[in-house]
Amino acid sequence: GKSIIASAIARNLDINRTIIIAPPHLVDQWNDYQQDFGLRGVKVCSSGRIEELYNSYATDPNPILYIIDEAHRYRNELSESYQLLHQLTRSNAENKVILLTATPYNNRPQDLFALIKLFQTPSRSTINSVDNLSVRFHELIARYNRLEKEGKKNRTNEIIVQLEKLSQELRVLIDPVIVRRSRIDLQEIKEYA
């Protein structure tokens, strides 16, 4: 599902250059999809080659669509692969980024913030639910860290309720940039139920 949706979006965007970054075991699948969907100018690259991509495309003046499969692998801002990927995706203001993950809600606030920064400038957010991502996420991260610290000592019902509330706030915040399809979602759509 995720790969097909991303391929359809790429086809509709019809950008001359698309770079697909995928785990090694999905490279052949992505090569098939790019042919099946007639995507132009596609390079499918294993996720272990971020530095090679950076060296080849970070100064490219043309807009590039980046499709990053298993994007949750890049949620740690301190890793070298994240640093290179961030610089790569943000190297041209016209670049587009599609992140694919089956676990968008299973991340800590700081993980989600790192992923969003691959396609958003925090102080100039284009997400209609927030103007300044840095301010909003720093507040959510601080609350999360406090609740996690308190919860390690004594995980009360109040802490669980507060963590769930924080989780709901995160969902509302990132909802405008997520295409989500789960069995539960599809059951709520009459045609698919």
Side-chain angles (χ1 to χ4, degrees), residues 86-99:
H86 181 264
Q87 291 174 41
L88 184 63
T89 59
R90 305 298 292 152
S91 64
N92 183 324
E94 299 299 315
N95 285 347
K96 306 273 186 240
V97 180
I98 298 174
L99 304 176

PDB file of all heavy atoms in Angstrom, residues 86-99:
ATOM      1  N   HIS A  86      19.137  15.002   5.832  1.00  0.00           N
ATOM      2  CA  HIS A  86      18.521  16.305   6.066  1.00  0.00           C
ATOM      3  C   HIS A  86      19.118  17.356   5.134  1.00  0.00           C
ATOM      4  O   HIS A  86      18.396  18.122   4.492  1.00  0.00           O
ATOM      5  CB  HIS A  86      18.709  16.720   7.529  1.00  0.00           C
ATOM      6  CG  HIS A  86      18.080  18.032   7.855  1.00  0.00           C
ATOM      7  ND1 HIS A  86      18.792  19.203   7.853  1.00  0.00           N
ATOM      8  CD2 HIS A  86      16.801  18.352   8.173  1.00  0.00           C
ATOM      9  CE1 HIS A  86      17.982  20.200   8.159  1.00  0.00           C
ATOM     10  NE2 HIS A  86      16.779  19.716   8.361  1.00  0.00           N
ATOM     11  N   GLN A  87      20.435  17.385   5.048  1.00  0.00           N
ATOM     12  CA  GLN A  87      21.080  18.351   4.156  1.00  0.00           C
ATOM     13  C   GLN A  87      20.696  18.099   2.702  1.00  0.00           C
ATOM     14  O   GLN A  87      20.519  19.048   1.928  1.00  0.00           O
ATOM     15  CB  GLN A  87      22.594  18.284   4.335  1.00  0.00           C
ATOM     16  CG  GLN A  87      23.057  18.799   5.677  1.00  0.00           C
ATOM     17  CD  GLN A  87      24.544  18.585   5.879  1.00  0.00           C
ATOM     18  OE1 GLN A  87      25.332  18.774   4.956  1.00  0.00           O
ATOM     19  NE2 GLN A  87      24.933  18.202   7.075  1.00  0.00           N
ATOM     20  N   LEU A  88      20.564  16.841   2.338  1.00  0.00           N
ATOM     21  CA  LEU A  88      20.213  16.475   0.965  1.00  0.00           C
ATOM     22  C   LEU A  88      18.793  16.919   0.622  1.00  0.00           C
ATOM     23  O   LEU A  88      18.570  17.579  -0.394  1.00  0.00           O
ATOM     24  CB  LEU A  88      20.360  14.963   0.799  1.00  0.00           C
ATOM     25  CG  LEU A  88      20.133  14.376  -0.585  1.00  0.00           C
ATOM     26  CD1 LEU A  88      21.155  14.917  -1.575  1.00  0.00           C
ATOM     27  CD2 LEU A  88      20.231  12.852  -0.508  1.00  0.00           C
ATOM     28  N   THR A  89      17.835  16.575   1.469  1.00  0.00           N
ATOM     29  CA  THR A  89      16.436  16.896   1.155  1.00  0.00           C
ATOM     30  C   THR A  89      16.168  18.391   1.222  1.00  0.00           C
ATOM     31  O   THR A  89      15.305  18.896   0.511  1.00  0.00           O
ATOM     32  CB  THR A  89      15.459  16.157   2.095  1.00  0.00           C
ATOM     33  OG1 THR A  89      15.727  16.514   3.449  1.00  0.00           O
ATOM     34  CG2 THR A  89      15.555  14.657   1.916  1.00  0.00           C
ATOM     35  N   ARG A  90      16.909  19.109   2.044  1.00  0.00           N
ATOM     36  CA  ARG A  90      16.682  20.549   2.213  1.00  0.00           C
ATOM     37  C   ARG A  90      17.625  21.393   1.346  1.00  0.00           C
ATOM     38  O   ARG A  90      17.635  22.606   1.449  1.00  0.00           O
ATOM     39  CB  ARG A  90      16.852  20.931   3.686  1.00  0.00           C
ATOM     40  CG  ARG A  90      15.984  20.132   4.647  1.00  0.00           C
ATOM     41  CD  ARG A  90      14.496  20.296   4.434  1.00  0.00           C
ATOM     42  NE  ARG A  90      14.139  21.640   4.788  1.00  0.00           N
ATOM     43  CZ  ARG A  90      13.118  22.302   4.262  1.00  0.00           C
ATOM     44  NH1 ARG A  90      12.353  21.728   3.377  1.00  0.00           N
ATOM     45  NH2 ARG A  90      12.858  23.539   4.598  1.00  0.00           N
ATOM     46  N   SER A  91      18.413  20.752   0.489  1.00  0.00           N
ATOM     47  CA  SER A  91      19.416  21.469  -0.309  1.00  0.00           C
ATOM     48  C   SER A  91      18.812  22.356  -1.389  1.00  0.00           C
ATOM     49  O   SER A  91      19.474  23.260  -1.880  1.00  0.00           O
ATOM     50  CB  SER A  91      20.394  20.479  -0.939  1.00  0.00           C
ATOM     51  OG  SER A  91      19.719  19.633  -1.859  1.00  0.00           O
ATOM     52  N   ASN A  92      17.585  22.119  -1.777  1.00  0.00           N
ATOM     53  CA  ASN A  92      16.918  22.912  -2.803  1.00  0.00           C
ATOM     54  C   ASN A  92      15.500  23.185  -2.303  1.00  0.00           C
ATOM     55  O   ASN A  92      14.777  22.254  -1.940  1.00  0.00           O
ATOM     56  CB  ASN A  92      16.886  22.138  -4.122  1.00  0.00           C
ATOM     57  CG  ASN A  92      16.282  22.923  -5.265  1.00  0.00           C
ATOM     58  OD1 ASN A  92      15.344  23.699  -5.094  1.00  0.00           O
ATOM     59  ND2 ASN A  92      16.802  22.704  -6.467  1.00  0.00           N
ATOM     60  N   ALA A  93      15.104  24.434  -2.300  1.00  0.00           N
ATOM     61  CA  ALA A  93      13.776  24.808  -1.791  1.00  0.00           C
ATOM     62  C   ALA A  93      12.642  24.142  -2.573  1.00  0.00           C
ATOM     63  O   ALA A  93      11.533  24.004  -2.070  1.00  0.00           O
ATOM     64  CB  ALA A  93      13.610  26.320  -1.816  1.00  0.00           C
ATOM     65  N   GLU A  94      12.926  23.719  -3.800  1.00  0.00           N
ATOM     66  CA  GLU A  94      11.898  23.094  -4.638  1.00  0.00           C
ATOM     67  C   GLU A  94      11.834  21.574  -4.479  1.00  0.00           C
ATOM     68  O   GLU A  94      10.985  20.924  -5.085  1.00  0.00           O
ATOM     69  CB  GLU A  94      12.148  23.447  -6.107  1.00  0.00           C
ATOM     70  CG  GLU A  94      12.097  24.942  -6.394  1.00  0.00           C
ATOM     71  CD  GLU A  94      10.736  25.547  -6.073  1.00  0.00           C
ATOM     72  OE1 GLU A  94       9.708  24.951  -6.445  1.00  0.00           O
ATOM     73  OE2 GLU A  94      10.712  26.615  -5.432  1.00  0.00           O
ATOM     74  N   ASN A  95      12.736  20.999  -3.692  1.00  0.00           N
ATOM     75  CA  ASN A  95      12.691  19.550  -3.475  1.00  0.00           C
ATOM     76  C   ASN A  95      11.383  19.163  -2.795  1.00  0.00           C
ATOM     77  O   ASN A  95      10.818  19.937  -2.019  1.00  0.00           O
ATOM     78  CB  ASN A  95      13.853  19.090  -2.589  1.00  0.00           C
ATOM     79  CG  ASN A  95      15.169  19.057  -3.320  1.00  0.00           C
ATOM     80  OD1 ASN A  95      15.227  19.143  -4.542  1.00  0.00           O
ATOM     81  ND2 ASN A  95      16.252  18.936  -2.568  1.00  0.00           N
ATOM     82  N   LYS A  96      10.919  17.974  -3.095  1.00  0.00           N
ATOM     83  CA  LYS A  96       9.743  17.399  -2.448  1.00  0.00           C
ATOM     84  C   LYS A  96      10.194  16.131  -1.735  1.00  0.00           C
ATOM     85  O   LYS A  96      11.120  15.458  -2.178  1.00  0.00           O
ATOM     86  CB  LYS A  96       8.674  17.037  -3.480  1.00  0.00           C
ATOM     87  CG  LYS A  96       8.264  18.172  -4.393  1.00  0.00           C
ATOM     88  CD  LYS A  96       7.170  18.977  -3.779  1.00  0.00           C
ATOM     89  CE  LYS A  96       6.658  20.014  -4.757  1.00  0.00           C
ATOM     90  NZ  LYS A  96       6.800  21.351  -4.270  1.00  0.00           N
ATOM     91  N   VAL A  97       9.514  15.795  -0.637  1.00  0.00           N
ATOM     92  CA  VAL A  97       9.886  14.628   0.153  1.00  0.00           C
ATOM     93  C   VAL A  97       8.629  13.850   0.523  1.00  0.00           C
ATOM     94  O   VAL A  97       7.658  14.425   1.011  1.00  0.00           O
ATOM     95  CB  VAL A  97      10.630  15.041   1.446  1.00  0.00           C
ATOM     96  CG1 VAL A  97      11.007  13.819   2.274  1.00  0.00           C
ATOM     97  CG2 VAL A  97      11.871  15.870   1.115  1.00  0.00           C
ATOM     98  N   ILE A  98       8.672  12.555   0.285  1.00  0.00           N
ATOM     99  CA  ILE A  98       7.620  11.645   0.735  1.00  0.00           C
ATOM    100  C   ILE A  98       8.280  10.641   1.668  1.00  0.00           C
ATOM    101  O   ILE A  98       9.226   9.957   1.287  1.00  0.00           O
ATOM    102  CB  ILE A  98       6.962  10.901  -0.448  1.00  0.00           C
ATOM    103  CG1 ILE A  98       6.288  11.886  -1.408  1.00  0.00           C
ATOM    104  CG2 ILE A  98       5.949   9.873   0.073  1.00  0.00           C
ATOM    105  CD1 ILE A  98       5.741  11.229  -2.681  1.00  0.00           C
ATOM    106  N   LEU A  99       7.791  10.598   2.892  1.00  0.00           N
ATOM    107  CA  LEU A  99       8.306   9.652   3.885  1.00  0.00           C
ATOM    108  C   LEU A  99       7.310   8.512   4.028  1.00  0.00           C
ATOM    109  O   LEU A  99       6.119   8.749   4.219  1.00  0.00           O
ATOM    110  CB  LEU A  99       8.484  10.347   5.237  1.00  0.00           C
ATOM    111  CG  LEU A  99       9.367  11.585   5.270  1.00  0.00           C
ATOM    112  CD1 LEU A  99       9.364  12.202   6.662  1.00  0.00           C
ATOM    113  CD2 LEU A  99      10.779  11.245   4.843  1.00  0.00           C
TER     114      LEU A  99
END
